[in-house]
Amino acid sequence: MNYPQFPKNCTSLLCKYLTPEVFDELKDKKTRYGYTLEQLIRSGVENVDSGIGVYAGDEESYELFAPLLDPIIREYHGFGPDDRHVSDMDPAHLQIGNPDPEGAYVLSTRIRVGRNLHCFPLGPNLSRRERLVVECMVSDALRALEGELAGSYHPLEGMDKETRERMIKDHFLFKEGDRFLEAAGLNRDWPEGRGIYHNTDKTFLVWVNEEDQLRIISMEPGADIASVFGRLAKAVKSLEKRLVFAFSERLGYITSCPTNLGTAMRASVHIRLPKLGKDMEKFKTITDRYELQIRGIHGEHSESEGSVYDISNKRRLGITEVQAVRQMAEGVEALIEEEKRL
Ligand code: ADP
Ligand code: ARG
């Protein structure tokens, strides 16, 4: 493999940190699961409009390819090579109120964490057979859940088109055909081995074998963030009794994309902000202050519709789960205050 050519206007972190020196240092390295630099960077090389551009193939990728990944991690999360990640998912430590008790702005709240099984490579490097074993282990663990978390697993293979499209539109199911994931090898053998688990009310859901092997999701209408977090914490605890998740002392929970390391948590609200939506400069000043990210109504790489935005924590590493959720809640309060003032 030769040093990749990036266009002059390329702004990905891959393009920024893959210097010819780093490339030469890493180009012949291979993890014990056989993951190479070429695989690590393929998504960003094929999609030059990437924000990041890399996907790890296993936990070892983060050590072996550290000369490229550490600077990316530092820039995205503000987390240095000597920092250590600390986890705190105790709902008793959250202590926040509902930022929109009258329901005038917030339509719904969703908090998800990514997880991967410690004894397997990550999705980009998972064989067809391993993916099926992961699906089997995860769906078995899910079937053992009880009470509010009890539900059923629905494989993507064989699901009728109408059901699939409705679940995507209603924000419950992942989209398909993402070109970033495609180039990373995450869509191989699609849709085999992928699926969704949900309880009756669809307030607790788990995506299986998408970007990460598990995306554990708690969501509900309104802005009762503490209730959503409490349900998620309970679910994660129950699943940990049956599954061992990949976790590093330094980087926290291991995920295929470095943006998700650490808590692997994205806590978001769908919020209607017609006035702030017309003043993006002011909007961004507030979201930057609280380190929040603005996404569109259908998630990543989508646009806002009807002045509804998806607002979530940007940092996931070097911050506890409780801190990430609290920061999101405080930012949402500040956004609502400004919207009222306008
Ligand atoms: P992820 O959250 O896993 O990073 P996406 O940004 O693609 O991935 O979002 C996945 C889905 O979750 C999308 O359909 C998105 O609209 C939906 N979603 C995100 N936040 C909320 C929310 N607060 N309420 C309802 N749906 C949400
Ligand atoms: N690989 C894509 C990029 O670099 C997405 C990165 C963050 N999002 C994600 N779903 N991992 O722009």
Side-chain angles (χ1 to χ4, degrees):
M1 186 203 187
N2 294 323
Y3 183 71
Q5 291 303 312
F6 295 102
K8 276 213 168 57
N9 59 354
C10 183
T11 54
S12 72
L13 297 187
L14 168 66
C15 155
K16 182 167 176 184
Y17 293 113
L18 187 72
T19 60
E21 295 72 34
V22 169
F23 178 82
D24 279 339
E25 183 186 345
L26 302 179
K27 68 179 187 328
D28 298 319
K29 292 201 190 286
K30 210 182 230 191
T31 66
R32 278 183 290 266
Y33 278 123
Y35 205 63
T36 61
L37 178 71
E38 186 179 358
Q39 290 172 293
L40 183 88
I41 67 175
R42 189 174 296 151
S43 189
V45 170
E46 287 184 16
N47 298 286
V48 290
D49 58 341
S50 290
I52 314 294
V54 294
Y55 288 90
D58 41 38
E59 187 172 341
E60 194 192 344
S61 300
Y62 287 105
E63 294 159 30
L64 199 65
F65 302 114
L68 171 63
L69 296 181
D70 274 353
I72 292 180
I73 290 169
R74 183 197 282 275
E75 177 153 342
Y76 186 87
H77 298 281
F79 183 92
D82 297 326
D83 290 333
R84 288 282 170 282
H85 179 74
V86 178
S87 172
D88 177 10
M89 224 174 168
D90 186 343
H93 296 165
L94 188 60
Q95 300 191 339
I96 54 162
N98 182 330
D100 182 30
E102 273 123 50
Y105 301 93
V106 176
L107 279 67
S108 53
T109 302
R110 172 183 184 268
I111 311 180
R112 61 84 165 155
V113 290
R115 291 289 185 270
N116 292 280
L117 301 189
H118 98 294
C119 47
F120 289 89
L122 296 167
N125 199 23
L126 204 59
S127 72
R128 182 175 175 193
R129 200 183 134 71
E130 285 167 331
R131 193 183 304 108
L132 292 174
V133 176
V134 168
E135 182 190 33
C136 196
M137 288 172 69
V138 173
S139 53
D140 274 356
L142 288 167
R143 270 188 271 271
L145 293 175
E146 292 172 342
E148 184 194 15
L149 305 176
S152 45
Y153 178 68
H154 309 267
L156 211 57
E157 207 172 13
M159 187 185 289
D160 65 84
K161 192 168 167 232
E162 209 173 287
T163 308
R164 204 182 62 226
E165 284 175 357
R166 163 118 331 257
M167 279 213 276
I168 294 173
K169 194 164 164 284
D170 291 344
H171 310 288
F172 297 126
L173 181 62
F174 45 85
K175 290 179 267 191
E176 35 178 307
D178 179 312
R179 63 191 161 88
F180 303 92
L181 301 186
E182 175 70 32
L186 273 155
N187 293 345
R188 283 169 301 127
D189 312 309
W190 188 275
E192 191 187 67
R194 281 79 177 187
I196 181 169
Y197 172 94
H198 62 79
N199 65 359
T200 321
D201 296 340
K202 298 203 181 82
T203 53
F204 170 65
L205 307 97
V206 180
W207 296 353
V208 179
N209 283 323
E210 197 241 7
E211 182 175 325
D212 289 301
Q213 289 156 9
L214 295 94
R215 284 285 170 96
I216 308 170
I217 302 161
S218 169
M219 63 197 282
E220 66 185 48
D224 191 345
I225 300 172
S227 152
V228 175
F229 185 65
R231 186 186 306 112
L232 180 72
K234 189 165 85 181
V236 170
K237 218 173 177 178
S238 304
L239 288 173
E240 276 170 347
K241 289 186 189 137
R242 292 186 167 78
L243 301 168
V244 183
F245 297 132
F247 182 83
S248 129
E249 286 299 318
R250 178 166 90 90
L251 296 172
Y253 291 99
I254 298 296
T255 52
S256 63
C257 179
T259 63
N260 282 317
L261 288 166
T263 60
M265 170 177 279
R266 194 169 84 85
S268 68
V269 292
H270 272 179
I271 181 168
R272 183 169 281 124
L273 298 168
K275 293 182 181 139
L276 264 178
K278 290 201 186 76
D279 188 345
M280 283 318 278
E281 205 177 309
K282 192 165 274 163
F283 197 164
K284 288 208 169 105
T285 312
I286 302 173
T287 51
D288 285 351
R289 192 183 313 140
Y290 291 89
E291 298 179 309
L292 302 178
Q293 197 176 59
I294 308 174
R295 291 187 179 184
I297 183 76
H298 293 292
E300 194 171 29
H301 309 122
S302 75
E303 296 298 321
S304 162
E305 279 169 24
S307 307
V308 178
Y309 299 87
D310 170 332
I311 304 294
S312 62
N313 59 300
K314 176 172 181 271
R315 272 179 74 202
R316 317 197 206 288
L317 174 63
I319 181 171
T320 69
E321 288 81 352
V322 164
Q323 285 169 333
V325 173
R326 196 179 292 140
Q327 199 167 24
M328 186 277 278
E330 286 168 1
V332 167
E333 259 176 49
L335 286 169
I336 292 176
E337 232 167 74
E338 188 59 27
E339 179 74 13
K340 280 184 185 161
R341 207 185 58 78
L342 291 171

